[in-house]
Amino acid sequence: MNAMTRRVVIGTAAISMALTLSACGEAGGGDDDGGSDNNLIGLLLPENKTTRYETFDRPLMEAKIKELCSDCEVKYNNASQDTELQKRQFDALVTQGVKTIILDAVDATATKSWVDQAAKKDVKVVAYDRLAEGDVAAYVSYDNEKIGELQGQGLVEALGDDAKNSNVVMINGSPTDPNAALFKKGAHTVLDKQVKKVVYEQDIPDWSPDEANKKMAAAITSLGKDGFEGVYSANDGMAGGIATALSKAGVKDVPLGGQDAELAGLQRVVSDQQSFTIYKAIKPEAETTASIAVALHEGKGIDEFAPTTVDSKSKEGIPAKLYGAKIVNKDNIKDTILKDKVYKASQICTKQFASACKSAGIQ
């Protein structure tokens, strides 16, 4: 997710970004009139190709922050997968006097210098979803290696009795996202033992569905339509591109897994275009992050919200909260996604998927 495509004059960019952030602050919970260093909390998300960020993460965090701190204003921006843009957004927040920033990094390995410089100015950075490098104050995410294990387990279960004799294609996430490496590591711990062989494997920059589609098409060309029995996709967005490549090539009945329980992914699950997804309850992750941000903002302790610690390459003992996840398939959508009110049945079961939903007992 490191799309460094712009060349701009730094001074001009800083002024422009400050204006942009001011406008986004109005959308996120207020304007700057009467504002002060004491009521601003920054929120920086990495991209909008993955639907969860704008649909769930942002509104959940903004609502929780407002609930806990009615005077707080959320200064929000999305980096659209551009690391340099996110750095300018981050620096602009620091310049504006924001003392707490929730950061979901585009490139978690590139953040060390920004975060370290901010920490020296007593700016508390909460790493969200991805463990940003540098002197972060806290980290909230999932046990991402365990999620990779669940993905591997889901694919093995979908392959059934033939798993031991099955060749598998692996389409992994972005090499700049540390979570992708953990998903891959976890999945390999399962697949390397329980399937015949991983016969084709690619990391996909920016988690791009289009690139995943191209790599899947290349795998089919290289291996042949019968050269693999299952496909691991690191998330649902890429699984959509993969499913399209499989369909175009006439490859049928090949188990395909994903992650994130995106609406389109769930619709593929009920219509048998995707075997499973991984459901990560975003609400507790987002609300815990908001709680930590407000506590840090108010100078309070965070032990109740961050009961464990993790190490990054640049810092040890980071206070953390790591959540678990679940495999979701047709059989348990009702007991997971619908029960937790992530989506309504009517949202999943549009006209195109009504028949498939009826067959799956989802109405």
Side-chain angles (χ1 to χ4, degrees):
M1 302 186 189
N2 189 4
M4 299 183 192
T5 58
R6 297 185 176 92
R7 292 292 184 271
V8 295
V9 178
I10 298 301
T12 302
I15 294 169
S16 173
M17 191 51 57
L19 292 172
T20 302
L21 282 165
S22 177
C24 288
E26 293 176 11
D31 57 33
D32 287 336
D33 293 340
S36 73
D37 293 356
N38 295 324
N39 69 347
L40 307 178
I41 293 177
L43 172 59
L44 300 179
L45 295 181
E47 48 100 347
N48 49 27
K49 283 188 177 181
T50 305
T51 60
R52 57 167 280 194
Y53 290 118
E54 297 293 340
T55 305
F56 296 108
D57 301 71
R58 177 190 177 185
L60 285 167
M61 279 191 278
E62 289 181 336
K64 188 65 174 180
I65 288 170
K66 207 67 178 175
E67 174 192 325
L68 296 171
C69 178
S70 60
D71 293 332
C72 287
E73 297 180 13
V74 177
K75 293 294 184 181
Y76 169 73
N77 225 317
N78 189 301
S80 301
Q81 296 181 312
D82 187 331
T83 301
E84 286 300 312
L85 175 59
Q86 188 170 64
K87 182 182 186 302
R88 295 196 296 273
Q89 293 168 349
F90 184 95
D91 290 344
L93 288 175
V94 175
T95 299
Q96 286 180 303
V98 176
K99 292 300 184 183
T100 306
I101 300 174
I102 298 168
L103 172 64
D104 192 344
V106 174
D107 181 349
T109 65
T111 61
K112 186 178 184 303
S113 61
W114 342 333
V115 174
D116 285 347
Q117 289 171 15
K120 290 176 182 177
K121 298 177 181 179
D122 200 30
V123 177
K124 307 295 185 184
V125 177
V126 183
Y128 179 68
D129 211 47
R130 301 169 186 171
L131 184 51
E133 292 296 332
D135 189 8
V136 299
Y139 172 55
V140 184
S141 187
Y142 302 92
D143 185 338
N144 292 309
E145 191 169 334
K146 177 62 176 177
I147 287 174
E149 292 175 10
L150 287 175
Q151 290 179 299
Q153 178 186 333
L155 188 55
V156 168
E157 290 175 357
L159 289 166
D161 294 338
D162 294 328
K164 282 286 187 183
N165 299 313
S166 296
N167 290 324
V168 168
V169 170
M170 289 188 71
I171 304 296
N172 303 310
S174 173
T176 62
D177 183 345
N179 289 355
L182 292 171
F183 299 148
K184 177 166 63 172
K185 181 180 178 182
H188 267 293
T189 63
V190 175
L191 296 176
D192 291 351
K193 295 177 182 177
Q194 298 191 49
V195 303
K196 183 179 179 181
K197 188 178 180 181
V198 174
V199 290
Y200 182 94
E201 182 170 9
Q202 291 287 330
D203 295 349
I204 305 298
D206 299 341
W207 297 85
S208 168
D210 290 340
E211 190 63 22
N213 173 277
K214 292 176 184 177
K215 294 301 183 185
M216 189 67 242
I220 295 168
T221 299
S222 173
L223 302 169
K225 295 181 182 180
D226 299 322
F228 57 97
E229 285 72 39
V231 182
Y232 163 94
S233 173
N235 76 353
D236 286 344
M238 296 193 304
I242 292 166
T244 300
L246 293 171
S247 177
K248 185 176 180 180
V251 178
K252 299 179 180 180
D253 302 321
V254 170
L256 167 64
Q259 179 193 184
D260 285 334
E262 288 190 357
L263 181 58
L266 294 168
Q267 290 172 329
R268 286 192 297 273
V269 168
V270 299
S271 59
D272 294 322
Q273 300 171 72
Q274 186 172 322
S275 304
F276 68 91
T277 184
I278 301 296
Y279 169 43
K280 304 181 297 188
I282 297 172
K283 185 175 182 179
E285 182 198 21
E287 292 190 341
T288 295
T289 303
S291 298
I292 289 173
V294 171
L296 291 171
H297 177 77
E298 296 176 344
K300 298 177 180 178
I302 60 171
D303 289 352
E304 64 177 299
F305 306 116
T308 188
T309 61
V310 298
D311 299 336
S312 69
K313 294 178 181 178
S314 53
K315 185 175 180 180
E316 296 182 353
I318 301 167
K321 174 66 178 180
L322 302 178
Y323 285 96
K326 298 176 182 177
I327 299 171
V328 169
N329 53 36
K330 282 202 301 186
D331 296 333
N332 67 350
I333 285 180
K334 289 174 67 174
D335 296 329
T336 52
I337 303 301
L338 299 185
K339 182 181 178 181
D340 289 355
K341 299 180 180 179
V342 179
Y343 291 109
K344 298 176 183 178
S346 59
Q347 291 175 287
I348 299 172
C349 303
T350 57
K351 184 176 181 181
Q352 180 181 353
F353 300 98
S355 177
C357 281
K358 185 175 182 180
S359 299
I362 304 167
Q363 296 183 25

